[in-house]
Amino acid sequence: MNISGTTEIETGRRRLAELEARVRRDLDYLCLPPANWVPSRKHEGEHVHDIVLIGGGMVGLVGYFALWSGGMRNMRILDRSPAGREGPWLNYARMETLRSPKQLTGPAYGHASLTFRAWFTAQYGEAAWEALDKIPRPMWMDYLVWYRKVLDIPVENEVEVTQVAPEGPYLRLELAGRGAREESILTRKFVMATGREGLGRPNIPAFVKTLPRHAWAHSSDDIDFAALKGKRVVVIGVGASAVDNAAEALEAGAREVRHVIRRKEMPTINKMMGIGSFGFTAGYAQLPDEWRWRFMQYSFVTQTPAPRGSTLRVSRHDNAYFHFGQGIARMAHEDGEVVIETTAGKRLKTDFVILGTGFTVDPLARTELGEAAAEIMLWRDRYTPPPGEESEELGNFPYLGPDFSFRERTPGRAPWLSNVYCFNYGASASLGKVSGDIPGISEGASWLAREIAATLYREDVEIHWQGMLDYSKPELQGDEWTESEIEDETQAASAPACTEGS
């Protein structure tokens, strides 16, 4: 957003400072945060954290804020990226604007002063808000940086959890990275607030494994688009990430960019958007398995289309091409170029391939969980869909408890998995779209905080009971009343009655 003149800039800074003061005042009026109510613990003399979150992007920030607002203060939040680079927004996300409508409240957690709109209008004014169509992607990251700052969320950057293992009733987290203050820490609960790729890995189809690594990239890779100037590029797929990467290549001066698409037609309808409501958010997780599977499988089959603006960003180039009904039969690297044969019998040559194939949900990809990752119960372990509704992809999603926790596939093999919480995209099959996308993230954070609070309280119930027994602070001091004696009813009955004129 361009603002001309020193006065406008200074006004924006002043109003932003006023907004920050209002945030702090709102929290004070709401008595947030409440006092920490969770009894402290030590294990062999070592401090035990109640909760450790990994992921300092949008999901982790609002998750931390929700837990903090619930009086759970003995927490850490870690992120492997440098400060200001958390999440995909300045890394592999390449869309010009967000898909989500600008008015969605996102991670504001019910606080009007924490919305993107409050942040934006404080700096640029209401007229600029009315003129804004969609939120520019880098600006969303600026907002999240401010959100972290104004709430004073203590994200520890450049810290990675390399291993999680049980130690007595707790979890031992092994840490690495430039920002790590210790080699390991103990926690009662471990929250994986890791967003879209939080329980999986990039989806790398087998057909590219015949190519040298310099000839292809996944859309989540750090791609040198400037090096594609004058080159032929093929993009596999037509989802949002595929389209955004095609646009980047075209704008960098690629000679041509061809979308090679397995589907026969362009997806045009976002089915999930048509049923979004408070009822769906609240009710999805309580539906029988067959209904949860049916909703999610249908959304996978119909596919979420790329945003209109992103698609136009590609098609406005004369050297952009969309080839439908062309699955990949074979790829080979011959004489310095990539040769592609499609399932429709077509053959084309290119210089570079970009995989717009998204991410897979694969708990085994989470190396920090070690061998226990194989013990995570998946949907395919619990549910067999009827003919016509099969989905290998959906079957790989974890079958979570109602509190976002993992369940073990074989009872007794890894019971400690119930202390690990999947607050990321992997939760969507079990609990709905409440742990990764902007529309439902505050509801999901509230849900997570309530469930973890209930579990912590239940685990400490004897301590809380003893605290009730021991509590002895009087509210009354003894000077608030005067004790009275009851008059003897026999004496009162024998006394002469008063008569008129006596």
Side-chain angles (χ1 to χ4, degrees):
M1 178 63 60
N2 294 321
I3 301 178
S4 60
T6 304
T7 302
E8 288 84 354
I9 294 174
E10 291 178 349
T11 299
R13 289 173 178 168
R14 175 181 56 77
R15 291 192 307 210
L16 186 60
E18 291 171 352
L19 174 64
E20 292 169 357
R22 187 163 76 242
V23 170
R24 290 188 286 270
R25 186 177 66 247
D26 290 347
L27 295 177
D28 185 45
Y29 283 4
L30 292 168
C31 301
L32 294 176
N36 182 73
W37 53 266
V38 186
S40 61
R41 294 194 181 198
K42 285 193 173 183
H43 178 66
E44 297 181 355
E46 182 178 351
H47 176 74
V48 178
H49 300 86
D50 295 324
I51 307 157
V52 172
L53 301 91
I54 56 168
M58 178 185 72
V59 177
L61 293 176
V62 69
Y64 184 97
F65 182 48
L67 292 159
W68 177 88
S69 296
M72 290 161 276
R73 309 279 293 281
N74 179 23
M75 291 190 292
R76 301 273 287 274
I77 177 169
L78 317 173
D79 194 284
R80 64 187 178 186
S81 300
R85 304 285 299 187
E86 302 88 353
W89 311 109
L90 299 183
N91 297 313
Y92 60 82
R94 298 184 174 110
M95 62 282 203
E96 290 182 318
T97 66
L98 304 192
R99 175 196 297 271
S100 299
K102 65 181 181 180
Q103 66 269 21
L104 293 184
T105 57
Y109 200 64
H111 298 265
S113 55
L114 284 174
T115 58
F116 174 84
R117 180 174 183 174
W119 175 83
F120 181 92
T121 55
Q123 298 172 91
Y124 309 120
E126 290 291 344
W129 170 259
E130 295 300 327
L132 181 69
D133 178 28
K134 294 289 183 66
I135 300 172
R137 170 181 49 82
M139 183 178 283
W140 181 254
M141 188 67 220
D142 291 341
Y143 160 68
L144 292 178
V145 169
W146 173 81
Y147 181 100
R148 168 182 171 176
K149 169 181 169 286
V150 75
L151 292 176
D152 197 23
I153 298 176
V155 179
E156 299 173 45
N157 288 95
E158 299 184 71
V159 181
E160 185 172 4
V161 175
T162 58
Q163 185 178 3
V164 183
E167 185 171 317
Y170 308 118
L171 300 177
R172 171 72 66 181
L173 310 183
E174 302 292 336
L175 308 181
R178 292 177 54 189
R181 305 199 305 257
E182 311 101 323
E183 293 182 355
S184 70
I185 56 177
L186 287 172
T187 187
R188 297 172 67 179
K189 310 296 175 187
F190 179 56
V191 179
M192 300 174 71
T194 40
R196 179 73 184 186
E197 58 178 308
L199 200 67
R201 54 182 171 76
N203 180 22
I204 310 297
F207 52 70
V208 298
K209 295 181 180 179
T210 59
L211 305 181
R213 192 61 180 88
H214 66 80
W216 66 273
H218 187 268
S219 60
S220 64
D221 290 336
D222 184 11
I223 300 174
D224 183 1
F225 286 97
L228 299 180
K229 184 176 182 178
K231 301 288 183 67
R232 300 165 297 173
V233 178
V234 162
V235 177
I236 306 299
V238 75
S241 65
V243 168
D244 291 330
N245 278 266
E248 289 283 331
L250 288 162
E251 291 165 3
R255 187 201 315 175
E256 66 175 31
V257 174
R258 297 182 181 273
H259 278 280
V260 176
I261 307 154
R262 181 178 57 191
R263 293 174 177 270
K264 294 182 179 180
E265 296 179 351
M266 175 75 87
T268 59
I269 301 172
N270 184 350
K271 292 288 188 174
M272 278 293 186
M273 184 175 290
I275 61 170
S277 68
F278 183 75
F280 182 76
T281 300
Y284 175 87
Q286 298 185 29
L287 293 173
D289 287 354
E290 56 266 30
W291 275 111
R292 290 190 286 175
W293 180 279
R294 185 173 297 168
F295 274 113
M296 205 58 62
Q297 189 266 350
Y298 183 65
S299 73
F300 284 3
V301 169
T302 54
Q303 188 179 353
T304 301
R308 172 176 167 80
S310 295
T311 309
L312 289 172
R313 185 182 168 200
V314 172
S315 61
R316 68 182 176 223
H317 294 270
D318 293 335
N319 55 336
Y321 306 90
F322 295 83
H323 304 294
F324 294 95
Q326 305 289 334
I328 304 299
R330 173 179 174 270
M331 284 190 183
H333 198 254
E334 301 174 0
D335 299 325
E337 59 186 3
V338 178
V339 179
I340 300 174
E341 296 177 5
T342 76
T343 53
K346 301 296 182 180
R347 178 183 172 92
L348 59 90
K349 297 180 180 180
T350 192
D351 299 308
F352 193 73
V353 174
I354 298 177
L355 301 175
T357 47
F359 294 90
T360 63
V361 171
D362 179 11
L364 290 175
R366 300 305 306 197
T367 57
E368 67 264 51
L369 298 178
E371 294 181 357
E375 290 299 325
I376 293 174
M377 181 184 291
L378 306 180
W379 266 83
R380 66 169 181 249
D381 301 322
R382 285 291 299 259
Y383 180 69
T384 301
E389 292 186 10
E390 300 89 352
S391 172
E392 181 179 355
E393 179 184 5
L394 188 53
N396 286 332
F397 276 70
Y399 190 94
L400 300 178
D403 60 352
F404 294 91
S405 67
F406 290 119
R407 296 180 174 185
E408 53 180 342
R409 176 180 292 156
T410 306
R413 286 279 186 87
W416 60 271
L417 285 172
S418 64
N419 290 318
V420 181
Y421 295 79
C422 181
F423 191 55
N424 54 52
Y425 175 68
S428 57
S430 296
L431 304 177
K433 301 285 189 174
V434 294
S435 54
D437 294 336
I438 291 171
I441 191 63
S442 285
E443 287 84 352
S446 176
W447 183 351
L448 174 76
R450 187 170 57 251
E451 294 291 346
I452 290 182
T455 300
L456 290 172
Y457 197 90
R458 183 174 64 249
E459 291 174 355
D460 291 334
V461 66
E462 292 185 0
I463 298 174
H464 293 299
W465 168 249
Q466 189 61 48
M468 183 177 180
L469 296 179
D470 294 343
Y471 185 73
S472 59
K473 181 180 179 180
E475 293 191 26
L476 297 178
Q477 305 299 318
D479 59 355
E480 297 90 353
W481 71 92
T482 300
E483 184 176 0
S484 303
E485 292 188 5
I486 298 177
E487 185 176 1
D488 189 294
E489 293 185 4
T490 304
Q491 295 177 359
S494 61
C498 294
T499 59
E500 186 176 353
S502 62

